[in-house]
Amino acid sequence: MRISRFFKIVSTLYRYGLDDFFEGHSRLGFVHTLLKLCPLPRDVSAPLPERVRLALEGLGPIFVKFGQVLSTRRDLLPPDYADALAQLQDRVAPFDGALARQVIEQSFGQPVENLFVDFDATPVASASVAQVHKAWLKQPDGSRGREVAVKVLRPGIQPVIEQDLALMSTLARWVERFFIDGKRLKPREVVAEFDKYLHDELDMMHEAANASQLRRNFTGSDMLIVPEVFYDYTNRNVLTLEWMHGTPVGQIERLREQGVDLSKLSRFGVEIFFTQVFRHGFFHADMHPGNIFVAEDGRYIALDFGIVGSLTDEDKHYLAVNFLAFFNRDYHRVATAHIESGWVPKETRAEELEAAVRTVCEPIFEKPLSEISFGLVLLRLFETSRRFNVEIQPQLVLLQKTLLNIEGLGRQLDPNLDLWVTAKPFLTKWMNEQMGWRGMLRTLKQEAPQWATTLPTLPRKLNEALSAAKSDLLVEGYIQLMREQKRQNFLLALIAILLTALLAKSLL
């Protein structure tokens, strides 16, 4: 099976002329020369980035998903390739509703009729990994209960994914071995990252946990609704969520007819994003218009929680410092923030990085603030990072993708949306809370329980460490430290005696 799949990949690469990558290569150039002699028809009229996109679409949904993930790695890819891959579309026909019933019955060990009433065999949405059906929970008396969306994993998808991932890993090793840019592109790491992302999406319990966390974070919110998870009707193959009634956010005219305040809605989108990032450190990372509805009361409805991002306090601090520095045109601070974070090699000169960032960003900031894109700022930063071997963290790549989605949506709803007006007070307040006395008190409060258990054990742990040390250098260092401590104690005692004598003399 894997061999036939491999030949499918090779034939697709030939059909779209991707052997052009081998042209001029010292070790693989002969491949390009030989394939040019092959009489089979192929289409090489489009630019190479466009042909890469067409080849991935021809290889099926898993390769399409890989291309979509790869399109966000602008720290690795040239802009024309990233732009082409961003246009990839996941076109997958729905599977038979009878198969969906079969998956549910095998997963729960009982007929669908015991779980749901009026399970609709026709899916309301379909994707490469799963599809969604409408149903109602079955009450004890057999009547309809809560209206729900039942997401069912596509049957037989697991072996297909494992097979394609194995082939991707092999191709990644070849790229790393045979191409000059192979190591810089980190193909094996990119495939490993995609592997994790895909396996997370295959586990419906993982998505259920993400939805629950997001719902808890926005309990009582006047901006966002997150559906409830029904865990008694959820397992690794089936996810059951509260059915949400709303209007797709892309239907602008319909929203206007319903009297929705589009300007307010666009501001809500920005506030929701920054709340998730800086207050919760946990954000929905797949916020394209297909996953967002609008409720009758004007609140957003979030759907599809397979992809989320998490940020540490260090990530949040890095982002806030960079955003504020960018919009204050303090490029030196941007450069030093990268060096302090350890994402740039230690030997990088701040002045060189500052000059590169200025070159990229000054044209952006010549525009009015209302026209400046946060996502574009991050995107340009990632592109600049390629020159300096910056290690871009996966969570920040997800963040940049989400920010571009939010910005595009916000300006579609309100072309006059000024993100900086909405974001700057939020960022400034967050930085003040982190850097001021409130931040210090909060940190002390968080760390106090740990200190309470750690401090009493320090003398014992220090004694154990010294007893276990076998290095003569460590012992000698300890002896020197004790001698220095004794010398300092003697000096302190002498100073105390002199001060006492002076005080006594002044009193007399």
Side-chain angles (χ1 to χ4, degrees), residues 321-335:
V321 166
N322 272 283
F323 276 138
L324 290 170
F326 265 116
F327 281 94
N328 290 323
R329 298 196 183 191
D330 186 356
Y331 303 121
H332 186 75
R333 184 67 189 104
V334 174

Side-chain angles (χ1 to χ4, degrees), residues 410-426:
R411 287 189 168 135
Q412 185 181 0
L413 293 169
D414 180 10
N416 298 317
L417 174 67
D418 188 339
L419 275 86
W420 188 229
V421 168
T422 305
K424 187 174 182 180
F426 197 106

Side-chain angles (χ1 to χ4, degrees), residues 38 47 184 197 224 270 314 389 428 436 469:
C38 183
R184 184 191 66 77
Y197 147 77
L224 180 68
V270 179
E314 290 77 15
N389 297 317
T428 304

Side-chain angles (χ1 to χ4, degrees), residues 443-457:
T443 302
L444 287 172
K445 185 178 178 181
Q446 290 172 349
E447 297 294 334
Q450 181 68 20
W451 290 352
T453 57
T454 302
L455 287 175
T457 65

Side-chain angles (χ1 to χ4, degrees), residues 331-332 335-336 339 348-358 388:
Y331 303 121
H332 186 75
T336 56
I339 295 170
T348 302
R349 293 183 63 227
E351 293 75 15
E352 289 182 5
L353 184 56
E354 176 187 353
V357 172
R358 181 184 295 109
F388 293 89

Side-chain angles (χ1 to χ4, degrees), residues 185-404:
L185 291 172
K186 302 176 183 176
R188 286 193 290 176
E189 291 181 24
V190 171
V191 171
E193 180 186 323
F194 177 62
D195 188 327
K196 179 183 178 302
Y197 147 77
L198 205 53
H199 280 94
D200 283 347
E201 198 171 359
L202 285 173
D203 187 350
M204 294 299 166
M205 290 301 295
H206 180 82
E207 183 172 347
N210 292 340
S212 294
Q213 177 69 57
L214 202 63
R215 179 179 170 85
R216 187 161 58 251
N217 289 346
F218 282 92
T219 299
S221 170
D222 60 352
M223 295 186 292
L224 180 68
I225 305 171
V226 180
E228 180 184 352
V229 179
F230 296 98
Y231 279 100
D232 290 342
Y233 302 84
T234 297
N235 55 39
R236 296 193 66 175
N237 297 317
V238 181
L239 169 63
T240 304
L241 294 166
E242 172 187 5
W243 183 271
M244 305 304 295
H245 291 274
T247 303
V249 73
Q251 297 183 9
I252 306 294
E253 289 304 318
R254 190 173 164 194
L255 291 174
R256 283 199 183 97
E257 291 170 3
Q258 294 172 355
V260 175
D261 186 338
L262 298 184
S263 178
K264 182 179 178 182
L265 196 63
S266 67
R267 292 196 305 273
F268 274 3
V270 179
E271 290 182 35
I272 289 168
F273 173 79
F274 282 100
T275 299
Q276 289 181 92
V277 170
F278 290 102
R279 190 160 295 155
H280 304 150
F282 182 85
F283 60 95
H284 192 306
D286 200 15
M287 295 288 281
H288 62 76
N291 288 338
I292 307 172
F293 280 52
V294 180
E296 290 183 357
D297 60 5
R299 288 186 290 174
Y300 281 108
I301 299 170
L303 303 172
D304 197 344
F305 310 95
I307 308 174
V308 297
S310 298
L311 298 171
T312 64
D313 287 339
E314 290 77 15
D315 293 332
K316 290 187 278 187
H317 179 77
Y318 160 85
L319 285 169
V321 166
N322 272 283
F323 276 138
L324 290 170
F326 265 116
F327 281 94
N328 290 323
R329 298 196 183 191
D330 186 356
Y331 303 121
H332 186 75
R333 184 67 189 104
V334 174
T336 56
H338 276 68
I339 295 170
E340 289 166 5
S341 69
W343 293 354
V344 179
K346 289 186 297 183
E347 61 273 14
T348 302
R349 293 183 63 227
E351 293 75 15
E352 289 182 5
L353 184 56
E354 176 187 353
V357 172
R358 181 184 295 109
T359 301
V360 168
C361 293
E362 272 302 309
I364 296 174
F365 289 106
E366 287 303 313
K367 299 177 180 179
L369 280 175
S370 61
E371 297 178 15
I372 293 175
S373 163
F374 272 75
L376 189 60
V377 168
L378 268 183
L379 186 149
R380 294 287 179 260
L381 179 61
F382 289 176
E383 289 176 354
T384 304
S385 70
R386 294 173 61 219
R387 252 188 70 195
F388 293 89
N389 297 317
V390 177
E391 183 72 31
I392 300 296
Q393 306 301 309
Q395 66 271 24
L396 294 185
V397 175
L398 283 176
L399 183 83
Q400 180 262 331
K401 170 193 167 190
T402 305
L403 186 49
L404 280 174

